[in-house]
Amino acid sequence: AIVQETLKYIQQPTLGDFDKRLVKLSGINANYLHIVLGRKYLNEHQYAEAAEAFAKVAPQTWKEEPFATYLDSNPFYIKPDNGQNSEEIFTPATFAGQMAELEKKMKAGDAQAAYLLGCGAYNMGYWGNSWILSQRQWSSAEYQYMYSPRDLSGEDYYAATQAKTYFEKALQLTKNSEIAAKAAFGASMCERNAFALFQAAEGREVGYSENEQAAFTARMNTEARKRLSTYFGLLKNNYPTTQYTREVIEECSTYRDFIGQ
């Protein structure tokens, strides 16, 4: 609401002298505020609204920094190869529009659409390849060294909660074992995110002695097997012979550890 009111204010046809100086001093403009608004809608998974906001951003913006550097991967592509063109590039506007279309298809019962929604929601999160869609900055260890420390387990950007619900929906809708295997692995990555947050929180008070570190590592190894068992277990027990599961074995060391290979 604040962003929308600010947009109304700076876009008035007759700004007074004081207003003009205030806008200039703030350094904001409609282009920037529509990016802020679009990101806010994406973070709330309101894709049609995000697409509408991003459509009002000058197209040249997406060709400039930081988007030129940090939006250079297909946000629907997840390793191992999930059948999407890894080199296809989206702008925030085309991504949000695609997510809105996929949401409609999912509601009509399309399992593949639900899976791709999961990929898109995952990749615009902290561990995804296109985090800049939803945030303006990123740090490799921010979830570990966030000050003041806080519980991030309920924050979708880090925990990929919404992405997991989409992958679970794909599992419910599909009768295709390959799509099911992909969705199960996608959900397992969301579980892996949640485990990383848990591990970081638990490790904050662990000392640096060799014994303390060894005990913590052993405890986390046990916790990992429990916390990653749902969807790794589904892959192992229900879809062991799919092509995708074979690719997961080749690409994912965490899954290989889980199945003892």
Side-chain angles (χ1 to χ4, degrees), residues 13-255:
T14 54
L15 280 175
D17 182 60
F18 175 82
D19 299 307
K20 290 177 182 178
R21 282 185 286 157
L22 182 61
V23 171
K24 183 177 180 180
L25 181 65
S26 73
I28 61 173
N29 55 51
N31 208 58
Y32 176 78
L33 287 175
H34 279 115
I35 294 174
V36 174
L37 190 60
R39 281 174 168 157
K40 180 64 175 175
Y41 280 130
L42 275 188
N43 279 311
E44 295 178 349
H45 302 283
Q46 298 183 53
Y47 305 121
E49 292 83 353
E52 183 179 351
F54 285 138
K56 295 176 182 177
V57 176
Q60 181 62 29
T61 303
W62 313 130
K63 299 177 183 179
E64 300 169 348
E65 297 298 344
F67 298 100
T69 295
Y70 296 107
L71 194 57
D72 62 346
S73 300
N74 184 345
F76 297 103
Y77 178 80
I78 286 179
K79 291 183 178 180
D81 186 354
N82 66 348
Q84 301 305 299
N85 179 0
S86 62
E87 297 180 356
E88 185 176 2
I89 302 299
F90 288 79
T91 68
T94 58
F95 170 78
Q98 180 73 352
M99 291 290 278
E101 288 301 313
L102 289 169
E103 188 173 49
K104 291 178 184 178
K105 292 179 180 178
M106 179 189 70
K107 290 178 179 178
D110 189 325
Q112 174 70 0
Y115 170 69
L116 291 176
L117 272 169
C119 295
Y122 182 89
N123 275 323
M124 71 181 198
Y126 177 77
W127 275 276
N129 64 22
S130 303
W131 55 267
I132 200 169
L133 287 163
S134 63
Q135 304 290 323
R136 68 184 298 272
Q137 62 188 21
W138 185 92
S139 171
S140 62
E142 65 188 65
Y143 72 99
Q144 293 172 297
Y145 302 111
M146 187 168 286
Y147 294 104
S148 302
R150 70 177 191 268
D151 180 12
L152 299 176
S153 61
E155 295 198 19
D156 181 58
Y157 173 66
Y158 293 99
T161 309
Q162 186 61 42
K164 186 179 177 184
T165 66
Y166 290 141
F167 290 132
E168 290 172 336
K169 186 66 174 179
L171 282 165
Q172 293 172 8
L173 291 173
T174 192
K175 295 181 180 179
N176 182 302
S177 59
E178 290 292 340
I179 293 177
K182 292 176 183 178
F185 183 68
S188 77
M189 292 199 304
C190 301
E191 286 189 332
R192 190 167 56 185
N193 290 7
F195 174 71
L197 298 175
F198 167 78
Q199 185 175 29
E202 292 292 299
R204 287 195 184 107
E205 303 301 324
V206 176
Y208 293 101
S209 73
E210 186 175 339
N211 287 343
E212 286 179 291
Q213 288 292 317
F216 179 70
T217 298
R219 182 163 74 89
M220 289 300 104
N221 287 341
T222 300
E223 286 287 344
R225 289 196 64 81
K226 290 191 299 184
R227 292 171 181 266
L228 302 180
S229 63
T230 302
Y231 294 102
F232 274 173
L234 195 62
L235 273 179
K236 178 183 177 182
N237 298 323
N238 292 27
Y239 311 109
T241 61
T242 63
Q243 176 61 36
Y244 196 74
T245 302
R246 289 194 289 269
E247 291 178 11
V248 169
I249 292 172
E250 290 291 325
E251 297 280 346
C252 181
S253 61
T254 307
Y255 182 67

